[in-house]
Amino acid sequence: MPIQHRAVRPLTVTLLLALSGAVVSTAHAQTSGGILRAGMQADPVGLDPHVTEATSTRNQLENVYDTLVAFDASGKIVPSLATRWTASKDGLTWTFTLRSGVKFHNGRALEASDVAYSINRIKNPATKSPRIGDFELVKSVTAPSKSSVVITLSKPFSPLLSKLAFTLNVIVPREAAATLNTRPIGTGPFRFMEYVPQTRMVLRKNPDFWGKDAKGNKLPYLDGITYSYLPDPTARVTALRTGTVDWIEYVPSTDITSLKANAAVNVLGGPAANYRALFLNVNEKPLNDPRVRRAIAYAINNQEIVDVALLGVGGIASAGTTFPTGSYYAKPDPSYGKPNLDRARALLKEAGLPNGFTLNLKVTSTYDFLRIPAEILQAQLAPIGIKVNITALEWSVYLPDILKKNYMATILGESGQGDPDDYLYTPFASDSGGNLTNFKDATIDGWLDQGRQIADAAARKALYAKVQQRLVTLSPMVFLYSSTQYEAARKTVQGYQHFPNTSYIGLRSAWLRR
């Protein structure tokens, strides 16, 4: 029998219980055809899915590719390129059976060797994938036949299915890997046609796509998607209102209420499965001293950031946990985000900095929800003698800099798609490719390794609670808020479903009312 979430309790978060659902009108029958015009915040940062870490790339290419298994809108693992899977009693051997009749966009049939190649490519240090840690416990991936894949682990690994479902850990054709950064080729519902930087990305319908709707009709309904880049949020909202585009991402907090009142528009979304934080590069003095980092945390009022920068609707102030509000694995700290300036000053004095220091804060100018909090932090840290110098860069310049860890402090986010490992191991394990703060702690490393091998949800919960408490003490990041994320669409767009894990897989079922 297929094993789905055998060793994983999904993130049972409030946001998963408050889904907006699909924008479907029962008064209209589904129709096929038409090009969806989507207004995007930013260009992709690289087109090779195994190499990039940019959400902008993921969201624009996840409908070009498929994963071995997938998340549905409730966070449950469901079949994708694999129709069923089983695990051995010791949890070390996983066998996946592939869907028949799947073709890559170049016309070649999907084979198990492509799955093995793709996972091994992410694992290979030469690839320099930021998600190399996702498969570090994978001992081997073999293809005993064209339709079966066997993954052998060196140790039990509870998050395996979640990692396989992450929408950048996609399956690629082995012969096309060298050109993926200029010509993405997948098995998804849309084919990549062109990318013109700062202008558009064009996708067109894959007539050979394997997916079907609940009635057995072939997906996708759309003839294609054209992404246009509108980094200015006002321009993006205006384009939607005037009908220049049909659908937009990242509805700014300032426009949520007015768009909800617009009879021609649907607004979808709610709390998202992510967190935003002040990242502190612990290799930069004096941030190498945990007392200094903790002092910064004691000075920050994250509710004020939500109220002022996000107008009270764009996020939920963090309670000292990496997990979204309502998560089964969250371990809130009731004192978090409530400033204690006396304690902050005392810690700076202990660290030999009674007069404070200068903090260089690098942020992106592209995303308002990451840029505007910088000015609030600047004001909040001033009373304890920390002078904040802000540098703002366009996203395609900013992100490569951050990935090289060329910064002192920054405001950035981390998101998860289905397992607590996404929120803790990826950003905080010493050897993780996603560790951008240079943080290293042997105790936390040990706990995180244990958490990857424990099958029991309650035991994992207790272990991850200790990790979160220690992270608050050592403060490699200061957790600011979990965001709310909204998309908006003209009411001619039907069938789109908002995914709280910030995926746009819901475009697979979208259609245009004529």
Side-chain angles (χ1 to χ4, degrees):
M1 293 292 291
I3 297 177
Q4 299 191 10
H5 279 296
R6 168 185 173 275
V8 179
R9 174 166 181 161
L11 287 174
T12 52
V13 291
T14 301
L15 57 92
L16 294 180
L17 301 178
L19 295 175
S20 302
V23 190
V24 177
S25 170
T26 56
H28 300 276
Q30 292 166 341
T31 57
S32 294
I35 305 296
L36 180 78
R37 301 163 301 167
M40 309 303 286
Q41 175 91 25
D43 281 55
V45 182
L47 297 180
D48 186 333
H50 292 165
V51 176
T52 188
E53 197 169 27
T55 300
S56 56
T57 303
R58 188 195 85 188
N59 287 153
Q60 292 170 55
L61 291 183
E62 62 189 349
N63 288 307
V64 171
Y65 291 101
D66 289 308
T67 47
L68 194 60
V69 296
F71 291 110
D72 67 11
S74 69
K76 179 185 177 183
I77 295 284
V78 295
S80 182
L81 292 179
T83 56
R84 61 183 185 272
W85 51 94
T86 58
S88 60
K89 288 184 179 180
D90 61 6
L92 296 179
T93 304
W94 291 72
T95 303
F96 297 82
T97 300
L98 297 188
R99 187 179 301 276
S100 62
V102 177
K103 292 183 180 180
F104 286 108
H105 298 157
N106 61 7
R108 183 173 67 75
L110 168 75
E111 297 181 0
S113 56
D114 296 301
V115 177
Y117 174 83
S118 298
I119 297 173
N120 285 323
R121 183 172 186 255
I122 297 170
K123 275 177 54 65
N124 187 348
T127 305
K128 298 182 179 179
S129 172
R131 290 174 305 286
I132 187 173
D134 287 359
F135 301 117
E136 68 174 345
L137 295 183
V138 172
K139 185 177 180 181
S140 66
V141 189
T142 59
S145 73
K146 288 186 177 182
S147 61
S148 64
V149 177
V150 177
I151 297 178
T152 304
L153 306 177
S154 57
K155 298 177 183 177
F157 183 48
S158 296
L160 178 63
L161 293 178
S162 176
K163 302 303 184 185
L164 290 170
F166 183 70
T167 51
L168 282 173
N169 289 339
V170 295
I171 307 308
V172 303
R174 56 190 182 275
E175 72 275 12
T179 57
L180 289 178
N181 202 41
T182 56
R183 191 72 179 176
I185 297 177
T187 58
F190 297 100
R191 295 176 173 178
F192 174 88
M193 302 303 292
E194 70 168 352
Y195 166 56
V196 181
Q198 300 181 333
T199 305
R200 66 182 178 273
M201 180 188 290
V202 177
L203 308 182
R204 289 296 178 261
K205 180 177 183 174
N206 172 18
D208 297 323
F209 182 55
W210 54 267
K212 296 181 180 180
D213 66 14
K215 296 180 180 179
N217 299 312
K218 289 191 67 173
L219 294 174
Y221 305 117
L222 296 170
D223 284 337
I225 302 171
T226 297
Y227 297 114
S228 57
Y229 304 114
L230 301 167
D232 179 75
T234 300
R236 204 160 57 251
V237 171
T238 299
L240 181 71
R241 285 184 171 132
T242 59
T244 305
V245 298
D246 306 303
W247 178 99
I248 63 171
E249 66 171 349
Y250 294 122
V251 178
S253 302
T254 51
D255 293 283
I256 290 172
T257 301
S258 64
L259 284 178
K260 283 183 175 180
N262 188 321
V265 171
N266 280 317
V267 177
L268 303 102
N274 61 32
Y275 65 89
R276 313 298 186 189
L278 177 65
F279 286 45
L280 302 172
N281 188 341
V282 304
N283 280 359
E284 295 282 330
K285 294 181 179 180
L287 299 179
N288 59 327
D289 190 326
R291 294 171 297 185
V292 174
R293 303 193 300 266
R294 189 73 177 108
I296 292 172
Y298 271 122
I300 290 175
N301 181 337
N302 53 25
Q303 185 62 55
E304 182 181 30
I305 290 172
V306 169
D307 291 342
V308 177
L310 308 176
L311 303 180
V313 297
I316 301 168
S318 174
T321 169
T322 62
F323 297 106
T325 298
S327 169
Y328 172 80
Y329 290 99
K331 176 63 177 176
D333 181 334
S335 67
Y336 207 83
K338 298 174 175 62
N340 185 336
L341 299 187
D342 289 339
R343 181 63 180 142
R345 293 187 185 102
L347 284 170
L348 287 178
K349 186 175 181 180
E350 286 179 27
L353 297 165
N355 299 316
F357 64 99
T358 297
L359 181 72
N360 295 318
L361 179 58
K362 184 180 290 186
V363 296
T364 178
S365 58
T366 302
Y367 294 105
D368 285 349
F369 57 83
L370 299 177
R371 175 184 59 81
I372 298 174
E375 297 175 3
I376 302 171
L377 289 174
Q378 187 179 52
Q380 290 180 350
L381 293 177
I384 62 170
I386 297 179
K387 179 184 178 183
V388 178
N389 290 333
I390 300 173
T391 300
L393 301 171
E394 193 272 333
W395 181 250
S396 62
V397 177
Y398 161 85
L399 187 61
D401 229 16
I402 300 302
L403 296 179
K404 294 174 186 173
K405 305 180 186 180
N406 181 24
Y407 74 97
M408 184 177 185
T410 191
I411 301 172
L412 198 56
E414 290 281 354
S415 62
Q417 292 205 334
D419 189 90
D421 190 80
D422 298 342
Y423 298 85
L424 293 171
Y425 191 98
T426 300
F428 299 112
S430 297
D431 61 352
S432 169
N435 182 333
L436 300 180
T437 62
N438 290 306
F439 174 72
K440 293 179 174 61
D441 181 76
T443 300
I444 285 180
D445 284 344
W447 288 340
L448 292 177
D449 284 338
Q450 290 178 47
R452 291 183 140 197
Q453 299 172 51
I454 295 173
D456 181 72
R460 289 187 92 200
K461 178 181 178 180
L463 191 63
Y464 289 135
K466 294 196 297 182
V467 172
Q468 292 170 78
Q469 288 172 317
R470 189 163 176 83
L471 285 173
V472 168
T473 300
L474 297 179
S475 296
M477 296 182 192
V478 181
F479 308 118
L480 302 178
Y481 63 92
S482 293
S483 67
T484 54
Q485 185 167 315
Y486 294 89
E487 298 88 55
R490 306 283 299 178
K491 287 192 175 178
T492 50
V493 179
Q494 303 283 296
Y496 172 74
Q497 189 170 23
H498 171 85
F499 277 49
N501 65 7
T502 71
S503 167
Y504 297 154
I505 291 290
L507 290 171
R508 296 184 175 210
S509 58
W511 53 281
L512 294 174
R513 190 180 72 208
R514 301 188 182 188

